[in-house]
Amino acid sequence: MSDQPHSRLANARETKAVLERFGLFTKHRLGQNFLVSDEVIGHICELAELGPEDVVLEVGPGIGTLTVALLPRTQAVVSIEADRTLPPVLVETCAQDSDKFTLLMGDALKVIPDGVGELAAPLNAPTKFVSNLPYQVAATLILKVLQELPSVERLVVMVQAEVADRICAQCGNKTYGAYTAKLALYGAVTGRFEVGPGNFMPPPHVDSAVVRIDHRPAVDPDDGETLSDSQLAWTCQVVDAAFAQRRKTIRNSMSASGFDKGVLDVAFAAAGIAATARAEKLSPEDFVRLAKALDAATTPMDMDGEGR
């Protein structure tokens, strides 16, 4: 095993030196807590299983602590950063692999997916999403990447521990909610490890975790057919309505969101779901069945007697 660090920046001494050299300070409004554990960096890279064919998308590179570990392992890294004081830092810290590094400034929620596609046009589309994410937008970004960047095969992301709990929750658990069910339509959690506050400078007031999610196409659990984009979007609408008032039965929650109770009863019967159940008891597969049944119950018959 090599004694070389995964990232030369993943320690407090080097991080402080870089910040002092550029006259910077931590900006809590951007969620900046700098990772100073090379062991964590190494574990992230192991989970990502990077190869020379991979194009990695990274959000929130900061001073490049994770970036410099990703670059030698990949074809290219495309990083999105919101803090406009950081480009000069990244030019320096990523200089060794500058030919493989592309920086895009802006809000990742606005840049993804169109801005990434334009920037990465000379390259292959991003294959992996590896990031120490800004915690305030982490959950939204993860789902957005899964929904809007189908080329991304795997996500390895550091998030707040409670967000990781939501991502990994099983149906029936109080942490399981609309977000969990929707995310499961696009990917499967295949790894997780915990990261304590002491691995950062300054230490955050929350625990963190790294989660690996493998992108997979959602399928109809009954016939194995891959769901279309419109079917996925419809299923997500059904999930949101079911969890809109999660303390109520699924029938009452969905009717309060505008679904006709008569149509709901027909769909519940067709999908084999009790109208008195609560949303957290339904698996992602149950929601696919319910969405399909609702579509059938509300789709007019055409001249041949077949639904649209």
Side-chain angles (χ1 to χ4, degrees):
M1 180 181 292
S2 172
D3 293 330
Q4 292 298 314
H6 301 285
S7 170
R8 66 183 183 279
L9 302 174
N11 61 77
R13 180 177 58 81
E14 288 297 327
T15 297
K16 288 178 182 177
V18 170
L19 293 173
E20 289 174 1
R21 189 154 63 248
F22 287 88
L24 299 177
F25 55 90
T26 56
K27 298 177 176 59
H28 294 288
R29 65 180 177 82
L30 293 178
Q32 288 175 328
N33 299 92
F34 297 97
L35 183 60
V36 290
S37 168
D38 194 57
E39 182 180 359
V40 172
I41 294 286
H43 202 169
I44 290 172
C45 292
E46 288 172 10
L47 274 184
E49 296 182 335
L50 301 168
E53 74 288 349
D54 281 317
V55 175
V56 172
L57 176 64
E58 180 191 23
V59 169
I63 64 171
T65 305
L66 176 58
T67 321
V68 298
L70 299 175
L71 283 165
R73 294 170 162 87
T74 60
Q75 177 191 150
V77 176
V78 177
S79 298
I80 305 172
E81 177 56 62
D83 186 345
R84 296 193 174 275
T85 65
L86 291 175
V89 183
L90 289 162
V91 167
E92 178 187 289
T93 58
C94 299
Q96 186 171 330
D97 292 288
S98 60
D99 59 321
K100 300 165 68 173
F101 178 60
T102 304
L103 179 63
L104 181 60
M105 298 303 300
D107 180 347
L109 291 174
K110 297 176 181 177
V111 169
I112 297 172
D114 295 336
V116 172
E118 293 172 5
L119 189 68
L123 309 166
N124 295 322
T127 56
K128 290 179 179 171
F129 181 60
V130 185
S131 301
N132 177 9
L133 290 174
Y135 286 176
Q136 65 270 33
V137 296
T140 304
L141 267 173
I142 291 166
L143 190 56
K144 186 176 181 68
V145 167
L146 284 168
Q147 290 176 325
E148 300 181 20
L149 286 176
S151 64
V152 173
E153 303 163 356
R154 173 170 293 164
L155 298 80
V156 178
V157 289
M158 187 180 302
V159 296
Q160 192 170 332
E162 65 179 36
V163 173
D165 291 342
R166 289 169 58 200
I167 290 170
C168 299
Q170 300 295 312
C171 67
N173 186 295
K174 65 179 182 179
T175 312
Y176 178 83
Y179 180 80
T180 315
K182 288 189 290 187
L183 187 144
L185 296 173
Y186 296 91
V189 176
T190 56
R192 172 178 176 167
F193 70 91
E194 311 306 308
V195 183
N199 292 287
F200 297 89
M201 187 191 78
H205 300 297
V206 296
D207 291 326
S208 306
V210 172
V211 179
R212 183 173 77 179
I213 305 165
D214 286 343
H215 199 173
R216 64 178 185 188
V219 299
D220 185 315
D222 297 322
D223 60 22
E225 291 293 319
T226 300
L227 300 186
S228 67
D229 290 344
S230 61
Q231 287 173 315
L232 280 168
W234 172 238
T235 304
C236 287
Q237 288 182 47
V238 170
V239 170
D240 285 333
F243 279 99
Q245 300 183 42
R246 64 179 296 157
R247 292 187 178 183
K248 292 187 176 182
T249 65
I250 188 172
R251 184 177 189 266
N252 288 340
S253 180
M254 295 187 72
S255 63
S257 295
F259 284 83
D260 179 85
K261 287 188 176 181
V263 171
L264 284 170
D265 290 338
V266 171
F268 289 144
I273 295 169
T276 54
R278 285 179 168 76
E280 64 263 24
K281 299 297 183 181
L282 273 63
S283 68
E285 293 77 15
D286 289 329
F287 282 113
V288 172
R289 291 189 179 97
L290 178 57
K292 182 180 176 182
L294 282 166
D295 191 43
T298 56
T299 298
M301 305 302 281
D302 63 19
M303 294 297 291
D304 296 321
E306 295 179 348
R308 285 202 301 266

